[in-house]
Amino acid sequence: MYQRPLLVFTRIRCAVYPLLAILLAFQTEAKDLPICKESDYHYEYTECDVLGSRWRVALPNKPSTCTGLPDPAKGTQCTFSCNTGEFLDMKTQECQKCAAGTYSLGTGVAFDEWDSMPPGFLSHGINLEAGDVQMNCSNSAWTPKGAFIASSTDECTSTLAYAISLKKPGSVSFQYLYPDNSIFFEFYVQNDQCQSSEEQSRWMKSTKNDWDTHYVQLSRGNNVLYWRTTGFSLNSNSVKPVLLRNIAISGVAYTSECFPCKAGTYAPEPGASRCAPCAANAYSRKGATVCQECEKEKYAGIGSGECLTRPPCNESDYFYTHTPCDSNRMTQLMYKWIEPKICSETADGAVQLPASGQMQTCPPCNPGFFVNNGSACEPCPHGFYSNGTVCTECSAGTEPVMGFEYKWWNRMPSNMKSSVYSNEYSDSERTTAWEVAGEYVYTTPGDMDTGYMMLTLTVPGYRLPHDASKQVEANKELAQISFVFETKCDADCVLFFMAGLSERNNFVVESWRGTNGKQSYSYIVKSNSTVSFTWGFQRNAVRTVEKQYNADFAKIYVVHITNVIDGVASQCRHCAQGEESACVSCPPGHYMLEGTGVCKACPANSIVHAEHQVGPEACVRCGPNTHSNKAHTACLSDCRLAVKQSDGESLHYDFSLLSSVATVQNSPRFTSRGLKYFQQFSIGLCGGEDRAMATCVDNVTESRKESSGYVCQSTIVPSDVRGQSVVSSQPFSVGDSLIGVTTESAVDSISSPENNFPTNTRLPDVIFYYRGSETTQACKEGRYTTIRLRCDPSAAGNDLIAFPSKCSEGTCDGCSFHLLWQSRHACPPCSERHYKKIESKCLQGIMRTTYVWQQSLLCFGGVTLPSQTVSACVTLDFWLKFGVSIGSVAALLLITISCYFWKKTRKLEYKYSKLMVTAGERECELPAADSCAIMEGEDAEDDLIYLTKKSFFGKIKSFSRERTSDGFDTVPLKSSSGLEMEMS
């Protein structure tokens, strides 16, 4: 049975006092009725008033059966709630834990049993097809299936809705199984204002064979939940419906009771918020606290409510296969039980697993593969081919024939997978459908005849050989798949062959019923979107209890598909030597001499175009300030640039911080009907081979077109389409190759007019030139883009990317695009020449030096501005005082020396004059004997002065004389030879 909502939907919508009056009148009229027992009535809350208060009242379970109901009491606040695993005891108005074997969500409602449609749910089907097509969709509703509810599978739109009122913000969660992309499946919520949810998860993702959980937050108030599906498959019998289970909603008022665990689950402790499922080979009844193990001869799946008797094993419970090749390249035929094994080998009439076969030599690998050291088969590298043994390199002038060819089946190929597909969704975990058997792959026995045994081959895409490009316009043949098969049936079996986008999003190409001998079938691929091929085998469309047709089988011997991207090659063929040649046999950076098959190296820093590798003209030099990649297929920029100026100095740029992908939108545009849209550019400016690529996608149509490169453009519509807040469409590349990086206004016939972005700065703009390879009727030479990087040190945070004022969409002709990117990271690094120093005057012996940037600074980063420095200094007053002092000392010394020499001169003059007088008087006389007496005519006073008064230097000299041996000082006396003594 379903779990009824934990929120009581029957509410009393009258005020408190009128309600009391009604109860009083009821008691007055029922004086003769017996007194009510606790089992005769239940409690409910009135509606909340504006203050958030309410009353608890007792209501009889059946009217007019008893009297004497309890009086109304003050209820809990409207914001009151219980935790998970608890319930509200209305008698005490307190939360109590749920007993073991029961559970509750506290303030939630849960639906985990679907024997019938629970109250509150509404399901209906409508026809949303346009036109005059009339379709009866009255039976296209969701159908309860016990443990889950299933959607319809036809072309009608099937909606499952549930309305609930939340007292506080809550959430909804549910489990879903959505394995088939042939159905559109969406989930959304509408609130009080009928506004739908805008989450990206509105359109659900496929889950293939596993259940997934979806969680959405809900707002307070009324919420309507919608689960909606629409089928679009031509064969509704092969479409797998969407399944829902375990729907849980939180945020409701309260729950006044706990609910028992359903069969197959248990809750061992009190206060459980969920019941855990029983393990395999165990079961439980409703409200169980523990699971019971099955008896030895019985089994049960996970979450089972009972055990089933193991049936005797028979031939349909095992299958045969070939083991992978061992290190000696040996294999053997062996048998395996189908897992999980549920049959009994000991029951009466049970068969035993056959013994394995003899060891045999492994067959060779499939064409295009080779045997590695571990005896496993690996694909040959690109440019090589093989017949299944060793890889051989294609010679110059040839190209490998790409594809897949499977004719040996000792291991399932990596791009093929097997699965079981059942409309009934049995609880069996069996997934073995197709198994390898050496020379073929075949369908194994299943657990029901109505199940589909699916085998899917996935390919990455197709590429035509270039020498066949002229034929493709005539017959539209892109690739071809062919296979050899066989079926053997005792009933109405059918083998389907399907093609499409994926395993669950395809269409039936052909089908074969009954027994069919070994035969071949081919299918021409005309669209590059066909990347999945599926073979589905159904033994019987009518469900039966017994597995009556397990002996029916389908076998596939050979599968061959051509022109596969990243495929393998079994041979090489000569390729056309011309503009559209696909030869890739020359090493990177080499071209082929026409008609010789000889490869010659291109000049340094050049690339070779893949579509033209013949002759020296195949080498293309990279543009200014770019270099070739390792494969010599593209020119790159490492985001660094050195520009030499007219004054001889060089500017060094580093644009690494601008290399991440940036986006910019132009001003909004409007269609003729008023739809607003933008043109958005994605820019991946520069970088190495692992750089971030600018990518533009189409997220609306099924094509999911994607364009990537240096610069791309897409149309952005800010509206809600399929639950997406932003719709991107019409992506195309406007620059997938880098032509050059320079300050010049033209490179390789691409120009960037300076009048598009006028400037008055002396620093030149750095221009990146890009070219797009996609051509259109209007742009026969392709599109190109120029991006000017302009230094703006003031641009902090978001950089400014602008369009030309006269072409606000970035282009005036639709072929040439021009953008201006102003950023501080577009500036050269600062150096010492970008700042100057300012010295202050000397104050109190201290001088300060301050560094400031030059005016109109056009740099960023690099060296930092030096800090202010302080140094000692001497003022002018000090030097003036010092000069005056030195001058005074020098003047005094000069005066002293002058006086000394003046006096010395006077003495010498006196002595000289006296000597001359003496010599005149005695010129004719003989010299007399020396005498101590004063001679006549001599001035005694002069001699006395001379003997008694000494000069300053004389005194010093006299002090330095030594005493004689007799202890007396020697004193010179005036004599006739005094002058001579004085002179000495």
Side-chain angles (χ1 to χ4, degrees):
M1 295 292 294
Y2 64 89
Q3 300 294 346
R4 67 184 180 85
L6 306 184
L7 172 65
V8 179
F9 290 100
T10 304
R11 291 186 173 91
I12 301 176
R13 301 190 178 276
C14 52
V16 177
Y17 293 106
L19 177 63
L20 296 179
I22 295 174
L23 294 176
L24 183 62
F26 171 78
Q27 292 180 354
T28 303
E29 296 176 358
K31 293 181 179 180
D32 299 333
L33 297 178
I35 301 300
C36 291
K37 302 177 182 179
E38 289 188 5
S39 59
D40 295 332
Y41 61 88
H42 65 277
Y43 291 107
E44 288 189 12
Y45 282 124
T46 62
E47 289 286 347
C48 297
D49 57 22
V50 293
L51 299 178
S53 301
R54 56 188 174 183
W55 289 81
R56 186 201 68 178
V57 296
L59 296 177
N61 296 330
K62 295 182 180 180
S64 303
T65 55
C66 63
T67 187
L69 294 174
D71 294 333
K74 187 70 174 180
T76 61
Q77 289 294 317
C78 293
T79 57
F80 175 83
S81 63
C82 296
N83 297 324
T84 57
E86 297 178 344
F87 71 99
L88 179 62
D89 186 349
M90 294 293 290
K91 184 176 181 180
T92 62
Q93 299 194 72
E94 295 180 353
C95 296
Q96 305 289 339
K97 282 189 175 182
C98 293
T102 64
Y103 76 98
S104 83
L105 298 179
T107 57
V109 53
F111 304 93
D112 53 13
E113 293 188 55
W114 299 86
D115 295 327
S116 60
M117 187 69 72
F121 278 89
L122 176 64
S123 177
H124 64 280
I126 59 175
N127 178 21
L128 294 182
E129 294 290 337
D132 298 331
V133 179
Q134 298 296 327
M135 185 182 303
N136 185 8
C137 297
S138 58
N139 296 325
S140 301
W142 291 71
T143 306
K145 295 286 187 179
F148 51 81
I149 184 171
S151 70
S152 64
T153 59
D154 54 24
E155 289 76 13
C156 296
T157 297
S158 177
T159 303
L160 179 67
Y162 182 73
I164 191 169
S165 177
L166 302 185
K167 295 300 181 181
K168 62 180 181 180
S171 64
V172 57
S173 64
F174 56 90
Q175 289 182 311
Y176 70 98
L177 187 62
Y178 175 31
D180 198 338
N181 286 332
S182 296
I183 294 180
F184 287 139
F185 177 37
E186 61 179 323
F187 170 75
Y188 60 96
V189 182
Q190 284 187 343
N191 55 19
D192 289 338
Q193 289 77 33
C194 293
Q195 296 174 345
S196 299
S197 57
E198 297 181 357
E199 299 184 3
Q200 297 293 334
S201 56
R202 173 173 178 171
W203 290 88
M204 310 299 291
K205 297 180 180 179
S206 60
T207 60
K208 296 187 178 180
N209 296 321
D210 298 325
W211 290 85
D212 199 358
T213 301
H214 189 64
Y215 175 87
V216 175
Q217 292 184 342
L218 301 177
S219 303
R220 180 182 177 183
N222 296 324
N223 291 268
V224 183
L225 315 180
Y226 293 96
W227 295 266
R228 188 162 66 181
T229 61
T230 304
F232 62 92
S233 176
L234 298 178
N235 187 1
S236 60
N237 293 329
S238 62
V239 176
K240 199 170 185 178
V242 176
L243 304 185
L244 297 178
R245 69 181 184 186
N246 296 336
I247 300 176
I249 306 172
S250 65
V252 296
Y254 60 90
T255 175
S256 58
E257 60 180 321
C258 298
F259 295 91
C261 297
K262 68 176 183 178
T265 63
Y266 70 103
E269 302 292 339
S273 60
R274 285 286 186 184
C275 298
C278 294
N281 296 323
Y283 74 100
S284 69
R285 303 299 184 187
K286 189 173 184 178
T289 59
V290 66
C291 295
Q292 306 293 329
E293 291 190 2
C294 296
E295 300 176 2
K296 183 178 179 179
E297 294 302 321
K298 292 187 178 182
Y299 74 97
I302 298 176
S304 296
E306 60 178 343
C307 295
L308 302 176
T309 302
R310 294 183 181 272
C313 293
N314 54 39
E315 289 79 2
S316 63
D317 292 313
Y318 64 82
F319 62 93
Y320 63 92
T321 183
H322 275 263
T323 61
C325 298
D326 58 19
S327 58
N328 298 321
R329 294 293 297 169
M330 300 297 290
T331 183
Q332 70 176 148
L333 181 71
M334 66 177 302
Y335 297 87
K336 293 182 179 181
W337 294 111
I338 295 178
E339 295 294 339
K341 181 185 176 185
I342 61 174
C343 66
S344 173
E345 300 178 59
T346 60
D348 294 339
V351 299
Q352 302 298 315
L353 194 67
S356 300
Q358 297 294 325
M359 298 296 295
Q360 301 175 0
T361 302
C362 284
C365 297
N366 284 310
F369 291 79
F370 72 100
V371 181
N372 63 9
N373 295 333
S375 298
C377 293
E378 291 187 2
C380 291
H382 181 72
F384 289 75
Y385 70 98
S386 81
N387 59 357
T389 54
V390 296
C391 298
T392 305
E393 186 175 7
C394 295
S395 60
T398 63
E399 61 178 342
V401 181
M402 309 300 290
F404 288 117
E405 184 178 1
Y406 301 115
K407 59 181 181 180
W408 301 110
W409 304 89
N410 277 73
R411 178 175 295 193
M412 190 69 73
S414 59
N415 59 346
M416 299 182 73
K417 73 172 185 176
S418 168
S419 61
V420 177
Y421 168 76
S422 172
N423 279 331
E424 286 77 11
Y425 287 90
S426 69
D427 292 333
S428 173
E429 298 179 4
R430 297 185 182 181
T431 58
T432 304
W434 294 75
E435 189 60 44
V436 296
E439 296 182 352
Y440 53 84
V441 58
Y442 76 105
T443 55
T444 62
D447 58 350
M448 59 181 60
D449 293 336
T450 55
Y452 287 87
M453 321 299 283
M454 311 294 289
L455 178 66
T456 302
L457 167 64
T458 303
V459 295
Y462 313 95
R463 179 185 292 118
L464 276 171
H466 286 274
D467 56 0
S469 59
K470 296 181 180 180
Q471 303 175 5
V472 69
E473 295 297 333
N475 53 26
K476 302 294 184 180
E477 180 178 340
L478 188 60
Q480 179 175 295
I481 181 173
S482 59
F483 57 92
V484 178
F485 70 98
E486 176 187 9
T487 59
K488 181 180 179 302
C489 305
D490 292 332
D492 190 20
C493 71
V494 59
L495 174 66
F496 294 97
F497 174 65
M498 294 167 281
L501 293 172
S502 65
E503 176 187 4
R504 303 302 183 185
N505 187 5
N506 49 33
F507 59 93
V508 176
V509 175
E510 190 61 79
S511 62
W512 299 267
R513 292 188 175 276
T515 300
N516 293 272
K518 192 174 182 180
Q519 56 185 283
S520 175
Y521 177 79
S522 297
Y523 171 71
I524 296 176
V525 180
K526 298 183 179 181
S527 172
N528 216 348
S529 61
T530 304
V531 294
S532 176
F533 302 97
T534 302
W535 293 266
F537 181 72
Q538 186 185 38
R539 293 182 170 89
N540 193 6
V542 180
R543 177 175 173 82
T544 58
V545 178
E546 299 293 334
K547 296 179 289 187
Q548 302 177 358
Y549 307 105
N550 262 336
D552 297 353
F553 65 84
K555 294 180 180 180
I556 296 178
Y557 294 89
V558 177
V559 176
H560 185 205
I561 182 171
T562 63
N563 301 335
V564 178
I565 297 177
D566 296 332
V568 295
S570 60
Q571 60 179 334
C572 290
R573 62 185 168 198
H574 289 283
C575 52
Q577 303 294 328
E579 290 294 330
E580 297 180 347
S581 173
C583 292
V584 291
S585 55
C586 284
H590 290 68
Y591 66 93
M592 186 183 302
L593 294 178
E594 187 171 1
T596 63
V598 177
C599 297
K600 190 174 180 180
C602 287
N605 199 29
S606 61
I607 62 174
V608 182
H609 288 301
E611 67 272 10
H612 181 74
Q613 296 185 351
V614 181
E617 60 274 12
C619 304
V620 179
R621 292 295 297 267
C622 288
N625 299 303
T626 62
H627 62 276
S628 61
N629 60 357
K630 294 180 180 180
H632 292 268
T633 57
C635 296
L636 306 176
S637 169
D638 58 0
C639 300
R640 290 174 173 83
L641 179 68
V643 178
K644 192 172 183 179
Q645 292 184 300
S646 58
D647 56 3
E649 296 186 5
S650 295
L651 298 177
H652 297 274
Y653 294 87
D654 187 354
F655 305 122
S656 301
L657 296 178
L658 301 178
S659 60
S660 57
V661 176
T663 59
V664 60
Q665 294 180 353
N666 57 16
S667 56
R669 299 290 186 273
F670 296 89
T671 64
S672 58
R673 297 188 177 183
L675 176 65
K676 183 171 69 173
Y677 68 95
F678 301 87
Q679 298 295 344
Q680 176 173 288
F681 291 85
S682 294
I683 303 172
L685 187 69
C686 55
E689 299 192 42
D690 57 347
R691 68 186 186 279
M693 302 285 287
T695 303
C696 301
V697 299
D698 180 356
N699 62 2
V700 181
T701 65
E702 295 295 336
S703 65
R704 297 291 175 178
K705 181 182 177 182
E706 180 177 305
S707 179
S708 60
Y710 285 97
V711 188
C712 62
Q713 178 189 299
S714 58
T715 301
I716 303 298
V717 179
S719 60
D720 187 5
V721 176
R722 294 190 177 182
Q724 300 175 1
S725 58
V726 173
V727 173
S728 175
S729 64
Q730 301 176 0
F732 61 89
S733 173
V734 295
D736 47 29
S737 60
L738 178 61
I739 304 302
V741 183
T742 180
T743 58
E744 302 296 330
S745 58
V747 170
D748 192 23
S749 71
I750 300 177
S751 62
S752 177
E754 296 182 0
N755 56 5
N756 282 340
F757 307 102
T759 181
N760 54 3
T761 61
R762 52 185 172 79
L763 190 66
D765 296 337
V766 177
I767 310 173
F768 281 74
Y769 293 86
Y770 307 97
R771 190 186 299 275
S773 59
E774 183 179 353
T775 61
T776 63
Q777 186 175 1
C779 306
K780 296 182 180 180
E781 299 298 327
R783 302 181 178 94
Y784 67 85
T785 301
T786 65
I787 299 179
R788 282 180 171 263
L789 297 185
R790 180 168 296 172
C791 174
D792 186 359
S794 63
N798 297 328
D799 296 337
L800 175 62
I801 302 179
F803 302 95
S805 57
K806 61 181 179 180
C807 305
S808 58
E809 293 186 1
T811 178
C812 295
D813 56 7
C815 300
S816 59
F817 296 81
H818 306 280
L819 292 87
L820 173 66
W821 192 338
Q822 300 180 76
S823 171
R824 58 184 180 179
H825 302 301
C827 301
C830 296
S831 61
E832 289 79 1
R833 64 186 182 89
H834 288 98
Y835 62 81
K836 61 183 179 180
K837 65 179 181 178
I838 301 176
E839 296 180 347
S840 65
K841 65 180 182 178
C842 190
L843 297 175
Q844 299 179 354
I846 296 177
M847 182 176 65
R848 303 179 186 274
T849 303
T850 305
Y851 298 87
V852 296
W853 294 112
Q854 300 282 1
Q855 293 296 325
S856 301
L857 184 65
L858 293 176
C859 67
F860 180 77
V863 300
T864 59
L865 198 64
S867 302
Q868 187 184 61
T869 59
V870 178
S871 59
C873 62
V874 179
T875 63
L876 180 61
D877 295 340
F878 172 81
W879 288 112
L880 183 59
K881 293 177 181 180
F882 180 78
V884 171
S885 301
I886 295 298
S888 301
V889 172
L892 181 62
L893 182 61
L894 182 60
I895 294 172
T896 304
I897 294 173
S898 300
C899 292
Y900 168 76
F901 282 104
W902 176 79
K903 186 175 182 181
K904 189 78 172 178
T905 304
R906 293 293 303 272
K907 286 184 178 181
L908 291 175
E909 183 181 0
Y910 170 78
K911 291 180 180 181
Y912 177 75
S913 62
K914 188 162 185 150
L915 180 62
M916 292 300 294
V917 170
T918 304
E921 291 177 354
R922 298 176 182 179
E923 181 177 0
C924 298
E925 296 179 0
L926 295 173
D930 292 338
S931 176
C932 294
I934 301 174
M935 299 302 293
E936 185 180 356
E938 292 182 344
D939 190 355
E941 185 179 358
D942 293 338
D943 293 338
L944 290 174
I945 293 174
Y946 176 75
L947 291 174
T948 58
K949 293 184 180 180
K950 295 182 180 180
S951 66
F952 176 78
F953 291 99
K955 291 179 180 180
I956 295 176
K957 187 176 181 180
S958 66
F959 290 155
S960 63
R961 291 176 180 174
E962 295 181 357
R963 289 177 179 270
T964 61
S965 61
D966 56 1
F968 291 95
D969 293 334
T970 301
V971 179
L973 297 178
K974 178 72 178 178
S975 65
S976 60
S977 60
L979 182 59
E980 296 176 3
M981 293 175 61
E982 184 70 20
M983 292 297 292
S984 63

